[in-house]
Amino acid sequence: MSLATLSKINVYPVKSLGGVSLSQAWVEFQGLTFDRRFMVATPTGEMITARKYPQMVKVTSVLTPEGLIFSAPDQAPLNLRYRDMAREEVAATVWKDSFSAYTTTSEADQWFSDLLGITVTLLFTGEQSHRHREKVGHNVSFADGYPVLVISQESLDELNKRSSESHVMDQFRTNLVVSGAEPFVEDTWKRIRIGEVEFESVKPCQRCILTTVDVATGDFRTSKEPLKTLAKFRADETGGVYFGQNLVAKNEGIISVDDPIEVLEYKTEPEYYADNGQVNFRLTCVDREEMARDFVTLWFEIGGEFAPDYLPGQYLPIEVQIDGQSLVRYYTLSSSPSRPGRLAISVKRVGGGKVSNWLVDHVHVGDRLIGQAPDGQFHLKVEQSHEPMLLLSAGSGVTPMLSILRFLADNNQLSDVVFYHQCRSEEDIPCREELEQLNHQFPGLSVRLCLTQPPVDWFGLKGRLSLSHIKQIPEITRRQVFVCGPDGFMQKAKNLILKQGVPEDSYHQESFGIQIEADEPLAEISLEVNGTVFKGNNQDTLLEQAEKEGVAIAHSCRAGFCGACRVKVKSGDVSQPEVPALTAIEREQGFALACCCIPKTNITIESE
């Protein structure tokens, strides 16, 4: 017998809109009464959700004896009465399920069209849904896949302990909240009874970008929380992230808040998720070094007994509080693991860089921040440290190169290393004195500084990275090449270097800082997806643009965590951020994720 009780019952009358809490509910085979019985859809019946229109979560619903009343910011309330609905049978689609549903009213269609700024219609399932799902064994409402979802309050509490941000149960749109047991107790249940109803647990609930919508503002969280945290301790071997359990009812009946959870059968093998969760630790600023113009190195000592291991080139997650908001950003460590006891990040002031500029302006000796365990796939491997090397960077991308350079120097491994850095002027050269000292100390090190706005008496490299610069690097095809900087710099570097014959498995790159596409002027480009050609742009994601044209690309989470939207870039270039569902090898092979890649040129795409 479980000690857990049912602490909350939620129904969501319209898919993706705000929910309603009940003290008691009637459970049908197709789900809780009133739950997901309405859906906002395109004129042809395809579902529309807050995955794309996050403002939908701010619409509140009130159940009345005659129907529902909807309220939204800056709009007059909508009173939808059952007796006024036209109930004309039309086609509807939820994911891959196609079935018939019913129209409601023209007033409702217009109200939701005004809300979203597109033409939509509000559909009704009917008293009994026509959507039969073989996996469930009977009809299901407009819910994503299963009739009922359960999550324990303790599971949410555990997530909040690990996450850098605070989360509420409304983000996860669960029907049943249980309390009084250990975290993730719901993972162990096979069959349970609540009140008059027996439920069977059929599948853990895979989470998507909808969980990152702030229910108070109706905006996506730029931090991608809670998905980033869940990916650390609730992900399976494919990268899918899970939180909560899907249930099906074995009979109909009443459930009430405070009903005990009677466990009738436990799973013989509950789902297992490797716990790679971040450990938070306190960072105390002990030194502040002005390394170049608007470029500061912050040195930290770690409080407590935790001493994180890291590899040269990896990043350090930093949590800061700005205007009452908790923000997490990732800064590459410029310190070296060969010098234990202190960690350093080097932060450059940038236009629009909210956290970076705050760190430069406000963090001084004695101030404290919260850090998490270093991570990242871009780093120097032990077996590479003895090989000839090219460290190529521009702007803020110098930080991982400084970590690698310091590590090699401390281990006396600078026998054949070229350090190339591009910046604007002499005032922008980072750690100039240290670089000159290392260049003098190690004959096998060649430091090459390139200025795009050099003074008249500058005798070093000039201009932006070019073929003439690359050709001056001796025996480049023998080198392990590490590249970091703005997207444009890296794209050019990769094109130049690989054309010189450097093997792809010897070429390693990572973007750094603000995405350059935000500053590029809008341009019209041609997009081809599975043979369908349409006009697009260089600002929006491939998935968003394809959807606008009615071109289907399989997708699920819309956050780079599941990999369902993986595509092959046959020609052209896209900007693809580093995300969990796409490995570095897949990126090098020309794969991208439609949900988060942005076309940069005319492209031809084949979906998986």
Side-chain angles (χ1 to χ4, degrees), residues 263-274:
V263 181
L264 304 177
E265 181 182 355
Y266 288 96
K267 295 178 182 177
T268 56
E269 294 185 8
E271 295 81 19
Y272 170 76
Y273 307 103

Side-chain angles (χ1 to χ4, degrees), residues 326-556:
S326 178
L327 300 171
V328 175
R329 296 293 186 269
Y330 302 86
Y331 290 95
T332 302
L333 287 156
S334 51
S335 56
S336 168
S338 56
R339 306 176 190 182
R342 288 186 175 186
L343 299 176
I345 59 171
S346 298
V347 186
K348 187 174 178 63
R349 184 186 301 279
V350 291
K354 181 176 183 179
V355 175
S356 293
N357 295 345
W358 185 89
L359 290 171
V360 171
D361 292 336
H362 294 91
V363 177
H364 300 280
V365 174
D367 290 336
R368 293 179 176 179
L369 303 176
I370 298 297
Q372 299 173 351
D375 201 355
Q377 299 300 312
F378 181 80
H379 58 76
L380 178 69
K381 297 179 175 62
V382 174
E383 62 271 17
Q384 296 168 335
S385 60
H386 297 281
E387 298 185 46
M389 202 171 301
L390 168 61
L391 306 179
L392 191 69
S393 62
S396 301
V398 73
T399 52
M401 306 310 173
L402 290 174
S403 180
I404 294 173
L405 186 67
R406 289 164 173 166
F407 179 85
L408 294 173
D410 291 347
N411 289 279
N412 198 29
Q413 294 174 332
L414 286 172
S415 58
D416 190 358
V417 176
V418 176
F419 182 97
Y420 176 107
H421 180 68
Q422 174 186 296
C423 55
R424 181 177 301 174
S425 66
E426 287 190 272
E427 291 81 5
D428 299 301
I429 298 174
C431 303
R432 185 173 185 178
E433 184 176 337
E434 179 184 3
L435 291 175
E436 291 175 348
Q437 181 179 347
L438 289 173
N439 198 38
H440 176 74
Q441 181 181 352
F442 293 93
L445 172 64
S446 174
V447 174
R448 305 184 181 198
L449 302 174
C450 181
L451 304 184
T452 58
Q453 296 180 9
V456 292
D457 58 349
W458 176 256
F459 294 102
L461 296 172
K462 301 176 183 179
R464 299 189 180 277
L465 180 68
S466 65
L467 181 59
S468 64
H469 295 169
I470 297 299
K471 285 187 173 181
Q472 293 180 41
I473 298 171
E475 299 182 292
I476 191 172
T477 57
R478 296 177 51 247
R479 299 180 182 275
Q480 293 291 328
V481 179
F482 292 85
V483 181
C484 188
D487 282 354
F489 173 84
M490 290 199 304
Q491 290 173 7
K492 187 171 186 179
K494 185 173 184 178
N495 181 55
L496 291 173
I497 291 172
L498 293 185
K499 284 185 176 179
Q500 296 303 303
V502 174
E504 290 204 17
D505 59 2
S506 296
Y507 185 89
H508 321 278
Q509 72 174 33
E510 180 170 82
S511 59
F512 190 85
I514 302 298
Q515 289 289 321
I516 194 169
E517 63 264 19
D519 298 324
E520 291 184 350
L522 176 66
E524 183 180 276
I525 56 179
S526 175
L527 308 179
E528 180 179 343
V529 178
N530 295 332
T532 300
V533 180
F534 54 96
K535 293 296 183 182
N537 62 63
N538 64 340
Q539 303 289 313
D540 300 322
T541 68
L542 174 62
L543 180 58
E544 291 171 334
Q545 298 189 62
E547 287 178 330
K548 289 179 182 178
E549 296 295 325
V551 178
I553 297 179
H555 65 278
S556 180

Side-chain angles (χ1 to χ4, degrees), residues 187 201-206 242-246 267 271 273:
D187 290 352
S201 179
V202 292
K203 189 178 183 295
C205 183
Q206 186 169 357
Y242 297 88
F243 191 70
Q245 292 287 327
N246 288 301
K267 295 178 182 177
E271 295 81 19
Y273 307 103

Side-chain angles (χ1 to χ4, degrees), residues 47 49 59 65 127 131 135 168 249 267 275 279 294 310 356 362 385 390 398 435 447 483 529 535 578 582 589 591 597:
M47 70 174 182
T49 74
V59 179
E127 279 67 29
R131 180 189 178 198
K135 291 183 178 180
V168 296
K267 295 178 182 177
D275 190 346
V279 177
D294 290 331
Y310 66 98
S356 293
H362 294 91
S385 60
L390 168 61
V398 73
L435 291 175
V447 174
V483 181
V529 178
K535 293 296 183 182
E578 183 179 349
L582 197 68
Q589 292 174 340
F591 289 102
C597 79

